[in-house]
Amino acid sequence: MIEKLEFLLALARERHFGRAAEACGVTQPTLSAGLKQLEESFGVLLVNRGSRFQDFTPEGQRVLDWARRIIGDTRAMRQEVQALKHGLTGRLRIAAIPATLAMIETLTTPYRERHPAVQFTILSRNSKEIFQLLDNLEIDAGVTYLDNEPLGHVAHVPLYREHYCLLTAADAPLGNRDKVTWAEVAHVPLCLLTANTQTRRIIDDLVRQAGGDSQPTLESDSMVLLYSHVRTGRWASVMPARMAATLGLADVVRAIPIVAPEATHTVGLVIPARQPMTPLTAALVAEARRVAQI
Amino acid sequence: MIEKLEFLLALARERHFGRAAEACGVTQPTLSAGLKQLEESFGVLLVNRGSRFQDFTPEGQRVLDWARRIIGDTRAMRQEVQALKHGLTGRLRIAAIPATLAMIETLTTPYRERHPAVQFTILSRNSKEIFQLLDNLEIDAGVTYLDNEPLGHVAHVPLYREHYCLLTAADAPLGNRDKVTWAEVAHVPLCLLTANTQTRRIIDDLVRQAGGDSQPTLESDSMVLLYSHVRTGRWASVMPARMAATLGLADVVRAIPIVAPEATHTVGLVIPARQPMTPLTAALVAEARRVAQI
DNA sequence: ACATATCAATAGAAATCTTCTATTGATTAT
DNA sequence: ATAATCAATAGAAGATTTCTATTGATATGT
């Protein structure tokens, strides 16, 4: 029964019988049969299909919601018993938006100190993907902005307020300043994250409000790529202050706080709205509360 | 897997492998094997046993808690799909303390009006048993006092405040009074519920505070039995006012409000603290809110 | 202290179910 | 029109579950 619900969950993720079956480690006919059994046991069609997967029926949607919950609880149960036996073990799966990648270690380092047996998987994803992964039980927690776009049905723990700074060469136009305004930044050609990221949308908004139009000279979804350009001193960028601080900068590059309008956004941990949490997640939340600066 | 968790739940109820097996509709070796598999899958002993059932290990306790939740969710899921198909169907199981039995119809009658396909099972139980039944998923809701003894981990909906009255013959010592005090009641020989009920404990307390000692001339766990004695006019009793009002009284018997000290206790619905509720339970809660007088 | 009863575990056979491979039928893409 | 993709089906092999019958251990009663 639980295994059948796993089939359903996989199908929701993959939207394809064959791939869902593979994800579950069974063959396609096995998955088909499993779903058929579910449907028979409920007496309702759960999946609309005509020679290929189409979508879930309304009943299928409801069962899917319950399946997520039931499977989440089942995993939490196993984890908890495991923790009672051997302390915290297993793999903690986190996804973070690129702008926060450099601060994740402030969570994982003390976490590992306390629970050395825990292993980590950390993915760089945009915020929309993070919420999808959370919904599908594919990650235990996410790190993203809390106050910008509506949160899904998740709980959250604030971590810190983000400020932005202009990264530019000391000998560039604004390079000798102690602080700059968004109005000034609006005229600098920048290297920025691609437009499917929240950080980019935030920066775009601020630039636009200051009268600019933000046509970046270079855009990428990789922070390392942006960083490697900026450190040459030949490109400018706007980055979260924490990111700039953590990465460290070459001598030729200066990180200049952008001060007006004062624009801060809250970065925080997002976790599934389940009570009780899994032990691994609970420990992460405890760490987040310790590390939180707000 | 879910079936195995059902085994565990049955064992917690019955504390006996054979009876638990019977409750699950399997033989004892099947249940034993099922539990052994659970233990192997967790890698932990769940049940302490030496030639007979002893108790659950700490891990077993935790698994038991999760099992209740997971199985509760599984049933809720089935119920919800069923409700999507055919509207509300199935059996709503309620347990109520004897003092409230006469008011249950104020819930069930409008409920049935709205959802004619739903069937009811209503048990008369004391409050301790009600909470056990709730914990074991054997009932969907209970009706009991909310403010007297500590509630388990349940949610609740207040229904009304209970007042008490003295039932006695018109020609008995206090029979001509419009109201009486607990101090006066303390001297009347009464027919009361047995001491394992909350109602009795409440009355005992009030009588004792008024200086009496409550040695009932007759006690029973059956309201019908008490009622049949009282209606002869040859016995006196203290009953919740609602009960007296609902049952109706023979001409010779009067129901006299007991006014001082003003003693009211809240009667309410108690339901498992699960979100979301099962559809059957949700409908009952809605009805309770409608009927509630407080 | 001995006999009896109760209880859960075990052994082994029978039955059920699950899963697989191979194929089909239907639809979509080229 | 042909090929490719996808999910359902058929049928055999394999795994699991469940049963009956029994054992071994502990408790109960005489």
Side-chain angles (χ1 to χ4, degrees), chain B residues 235-267:
Chain B
W235 307 73
S237 182
V238 170
M239 279 194 190
R242 282 214 155 203
M243 172 69 74
T246 310
L247 291 177
L249 290 166
D251 294 343
V252 289
V253 183
R254 297 198 56 217
I256 306 166
I258 312 178
V259 292
E262 183 70 47
T264 66
H265 287 84
T266 309
V267 167

Side-chain angles (χ1 to χ4, degrees), chain A residues 65-77:
Chain A
D65 283 353
W66 281 107
R68 287 192 235 275
R69 180 185 174 124
I70 290 168
I71 288 177
D73 283 348
T74 309
R75 295 193 191 159
M77 171 174 68

Side-chain angles (χ1 to χ4, degrees), chain A residues 1-3 41-44 59 62-63 66 69-70 73-74 76-78 80-82 84-85 275-276, chain B residues 1-3 41-44 59 62-63 66 69-70 73-74 76-78 80-81 84-85 275-276:
Chain A
M1 169 86 206
I2 287 190
E3 304 73 41
S41 98
F42 285 117
V44 189
E59 291 85 358
R62 300 300 305 122
V63 173
W66 281 107
R69 180 185 174 124
I70 290 168
D73 283 348
T74 309
M77 171 174 68
R78 299 208 106 85
E80 195 173 307
V81 173
Q82 220 54 29
L84 278 176
K85 262 206 309 186
Q275 273 309 331
Chain B
M1 170 86 206
I2 286 190
E3 304 74 39
S41 98
F42 285 118
V44 189
E59 290 85 358
R62 298 301 306 121
V63 172
W66 281 108
R69 181 186 174 121
I70 291 168
D73 283 349
T74 309
M77 171 173 69
R78 301 207 108 85
E80 195 173 307
V81 173
L84 278 175
K85 263 206 309 183
Q275 271 311 329

Side-chain angles (χ1 to χ4, degrees), chain B residues 173-195:
Chain B
L174 296 170
N176 59 339
R177 302 281 293 277
D178 280 346
K179 50 195 183 191
V180 294
T181 65
W182 283 102
E184 291 168 316
V185 169
H187 302 294
V188 181
L190 299 169
C191 305
L192 295 178
L193 285 170
T194 49

Side-chain angles (χ1 to χ4, degrees), chain A residues 71-216:
Chain A
I71 288 177
D73 283 348
T74 309
R75 295 193 191 159
M77 171 174 68
R78 299 208 106 85
Q79 226 180 74
E80 195 173 307
V81 173
Q82 220 54 29
L84 278 176
K85 262 206 309 186
H86 304 122
L88 274 198
T89 57
R91 181 167 296 276
L92 184 65
R93 303 156 305 166
I94 305 173
I97 58 172
T100 65
L101 286 173
M103 71 75 55
I104 300 296
E105 69 84 13
T106 66
L107 291 172
T108 47
T109 306
Y111 192 115
R112 177 146 180 258
E113 208 69 35
R114 241 178 278 273
H115 309 291
V118 174
Q119 301 176 299
F120 300 88
T121 295
I122 298 158
L123 306 174
S124 169
R125 294 293 145 89
N126 69 40
S127 53
K128 198 176 144 217
E129 290 169 332
I130 288 177
F131 289 111
Q132 278 175 1
L133 290 169
L134 277 176
D135 279 347
N136 288 330
L137 307 180
E138 292 178 89
I139 55 173
D140 301 297
V143 178
T144 182
Y145 290 108
L146 297 182
D147 46 13
N148 206 32
E149 280 157 47
L151 297 173
H153 42 91
V154 298
H156 61 271
V157 182
L159 284 168
Y160 62 91
R161 290 190 202 286
E162 187 59 284
H163 300 257
Y164 299 91
C165 59
L166 173 68
L167 301 190
T168 191
D171 57 3
L174 295 171
N176 60 338
R177 303 281 292 278
D178 279 345
K179 49 195 183 192
V180 295
T181 65
W182 283 101
E184 291 169 318
V185 170
H187 302 295
V188 180
L190 298 170
C191 306
L192 295 178
L193 285 171
T194 49
N196 61 345
T197 65
Q198 260 189 315
T199 307
R200 171 66 181 279
R201 283 195 289 275
I202 291 170
I203 293 172
D204 277 4
D205 281 351
L206 289 161
V207 166
R208 207 171 302 118
Q209 281 166 33
D213 70 339
S214 175
Q215 286 292 328

Side-chain angles (χ1 to χ4, degrees), chain B residues 257-294:
Chain B
I258 312 178
V259 292
E262 183 70 47
T264 66
H265 287 84
T266 309
V267 167
L269 198 67
V270 288
I271 52 169
R274 301 179 56 257
Q275 271 311 329
M277 293 174 247
T278 69
L280 286 176
T281 305
L284 184 65
V285 166
E287 216 55 73
R289 295 234 164 84
R290 254 176 239 121
V291 165
Q293 303 182 332
I294 41 181

